[in-house]
Amino acid sequence: MAISHSPIEGISIDQLGHSLDQLFRAAIANGDLVGGVAMAGTADSLLYQGAFGWRDRETGRESAIDDVFMLASLTKTVTAVAAMQLVERGILDLDEPIGRVLPHLAKPQVLEAFAEDGAPILRPARQQITLRRLLSHTSGLGHEIWDAPLLRYQAMTGTPGLASRTNASLNMPLLSEPGEQWRYSIGLEWTGKLIEAVTGMTLGSYLHDNIFQPLGMHDTGFGILPQHAGRLSSVYQREQDGTLRPTESTSRSSRPGEYEAGGGGLYGTAPEFFRFLSLFLNEGRVGSIEILSPATVKLMGENQISELLVNPMRTAQPTLSNDFELYPGMPKGWGLSGMITHKPGPNGRSAGSVAWGGLANCYFWLDPSRELAALFLTQILPFGDARSLNVLGGFERELYRALG
């Protein structure tokens, strides 16, 4: 349904709500989605919020606005904000080698190849890993879901996978020299470790005290919380024939494990995550609460990878992710909180918009020039599901059509 806290010139709120409700109902009827929640708004007005389909199709429980979702990589933006708070306070520096704080990253090794017997061939990295490189995915680290060499490395060395949530799972080699390539990575997991090292707090405790509690985000945290009972949105797997079957995601956990994953461990609701996103439209403030300074918010939305471009992500685990590239062929950069489109998007978003997604096809985007934020949460694997992305595109088109 559409809700507006203040009138927006040129927008028919009722008409927008009707068209979006129709879009999502059709997606459910067509089998594109099982259920989900979508929200959109400007700096001072909520234009739309809607829950559609089923929280759990098999039991007939319908979706609701306060459903709890596995946010997965949407967590990265929250961890990035936490890190930038510490930069503002002079506790962290974007360009200082973080090996001074995290010994595991003091002398990173680059995986060059594998010997005939399968043993990994490593060499010392020539450059240092910095916080800026962790946040912008230019540290040289990779991710097992999209980097097959890391799966081979794990198999040859006995290194556990990320699903184990063990500290040992993070001790992976680099796949490229720091600063020389954009590669989606576990950099935000290490950022979480960095935050813990300099604050003496667990990542969850830091986020609670400095972001969640001030913003009233009581349903957001690492792992499945007691208050989530009865509201957890079920995860579905897209089969080859296009149908969706219920599955228990390997990422789900009632316990965070040995570490709290700054790159993908949060669970939460759409209204709370949307409230968090609104700080990017309000110069770091939500109401009277300041989370970041205006200068930091501006910096986070600026391209940090120079002439490098965001590369297509090629899956190494097809049950978890498809090959993924948002807007193929369009040049894209990366800020300190997400992907940046250098040109206007085909569905309406402006050049300079920031966006990213979570594993189970959760997506957000921020369009600073239009003062627009939008959030689309569903729970479908694998990531980059074509039918989910098609619905996301329709959501975007309807919003910008209303905005004019």
Side-chain angles (χ1 to χ4, degrees):
M1 63 178 178
I3 301 173
S4 181
H5 297 321
S6 64
I8 312 266
E9 185 178 354
I11 295 180
S12 169
I13 299 299
D14 290 339
Q15 185 176 357
L16 174 63
H18 178 70
S19 63
L20 288 176
D21 287 344
Q22 280 191 318
L23 173 78
F24 293 126
R25 280 197 295 265
I28 301 299
N30 295 338
D32 296 334
L33 306 174
V34 172
V37 176
M39 299 183 69
T42 63
D44 58 4
S45 299
L46 182 62
L47 302 178
Y48 178 84
Q49 67 174 14
F52 41 88
W54 293 276
R55 174 191 302 154
D56 188 293
R57 184 183 61 194
E58 283 57 47
T59 61
R61 287 180 293 170
E62 294 184 349
S63 295
I65 292 295
D66 66 346
D67 283 352
V68 175
F69 292 85
M70 176 177 67
L71 298 175
S73 286
L74 299 191
T75 304
K76 289 178 169 63
T77 305
V78 182
T79 302
V81 166
M84 294 307 294
Q85 287 181 326
L86 296 173
V87 171
E88 285 188 346
R89 297 167 192 169
I91 298 171
L92 289 176
D93 185 287
L94 277 171
D95 298 308
E96 180 182 12
I98 64 170
R100 298 175 189 173
V101 179
L102 297 176
H104 279 295
L105 297 182
K107 297 180 179 179
Q109 298 282 306
V110 180
L111 176 63
E112 289 203 309
F114 292 91
E116 289 187 8
D117 63 358
I121 300 173
L122 303 171
R123 67 161 175 84
R126 296 182 295 272
Q127 300 294 322
Q128 291 291 317
I129 295 175
T130 64
L131 176 57
R132 191 187 304 272
R133 287 171 173 170
L134 288 179
L135 295 178
S136 63
H137 297 288
T138 56
S139 66
L141 289 162
H143 197 293
E144 65 184 36
I145 295 180
W146 297 278
D147 289 302
L150 293 182
L151 295 179
R152 186 175 179 184
Y153 178 88
Q154 290 168 344
M156 294 304 300
T157 61
T159 303
L162 291 175
S164 71
R165 285 290 193 264
T166 57
N167 290 320
S169 69
L170 298 179
N171 294 328
M172 301 296 287
L174 309 188
L175 294 176
S176 56
E177 192 67 31
E180 291 187 359
Q181 189 178 80
W182 182 92
R183 183 189 299 274
Y184 195 63
S185 72
I186 58 171
L188 274 294
E189 273 79 7
W190 279 112
T191 301
K193 289 283 193 181
L194 181 63
I195 291 168
E196 291 183 336
V198 298
T199 64
M201 305 170 69
T202 66
L203 180 59
S205 295
Y206 180 88
L207 296 182
H208 175 272
D209 291 355
N210 292 274
I211 298 176
F212 300 154
Q213 186 67 27
L215 297 185
M217 298 172 66
H218 307 302
D219 272 335
T220 305
F222 286 106
I224 300 169
L225 308 177
Q227 65 266 35
H228 293 166
R231 293 191 289 134
L232 195 64
S233 186
S234 296
V235 178
Y236 291 82
Q237 186 84 30
R238 180 80 67 189
E239 301 288 4
Q240 290 294 321
D241 62 3
T243 59
L244 290 164
R245 66 169 175 83
T247 183
E248 185 59 31
S249 167
T250 55
S251 298
R252 282 190 183 277
S253 175
S254 58
R255 296 180 297 106
E258 291 182 0
Y259 70 94
E260 293 172 323
L266 288 178
Y267 285 72
T269 66
E272 289 191 358
F273 195 80
F274 192 81
R275 188 179 311 146
F276 165 78
L277 289 177
S278 70
L279 71 90
F280 291 98
L281 301 181
N282 289 283
E283 297 188 314
R285 304 182 71 87
V286 178
S288 61
I289 301 163
E290 182 173 286
I291 300 298
L292 291 173
S293 72
T296 297
V297 170
K298 183 176 183 294
L299 176 66
M300 292 183 74
E302 294 174 344
N303 186 40
Q304 300 293 316
I305 64 175
S306 188
E307 72 279 359
L308 299 178
L309 296 175
V310 171
N311 302 315
M313 296 159 61
R314 305 302 184 197
T315 185
Q317 299 189 51
T319 59
L320 293 178
S321 178
N322 295 293
D323 291 345
F324 182 75
E325 183 182 11
L326 197 61
Y327 305 143
M330 176 188 291
K332 297 171 286 285
W334 200 274
L336 297 175
S337 57
M339 184 192 77
I340 299 173
T341 49
H342 291 324
K343 296 181 179 179
N347 297 317
R349 72 183 66 177
S350 308
S353 293
V354 178
W356 199 235
L359 189 66
N361 285 282
C362 298
Y363 300 94
F364 78 86
W365 81 90
L366 297 157
D367 186 337
S369 68
R370 301 299 297 269
E371 294 190 333
L372 178 71
L375 179 65
F376 174 79
L377 301 183
T378 188
Q379 300 281 259
I380 292 173
L381 293 173
F383 179 61
D385 175 58
R387 292 169 72 168
S388 298
L389 288 169
N390 185 56
V391 178
L392 174 67
F395 176 35
E396 183 177 343
R397 286 190 297 274
E398 289 299 327
L399 280 173
Y400 284 96
R401 184 178 294 119
L403 288 169

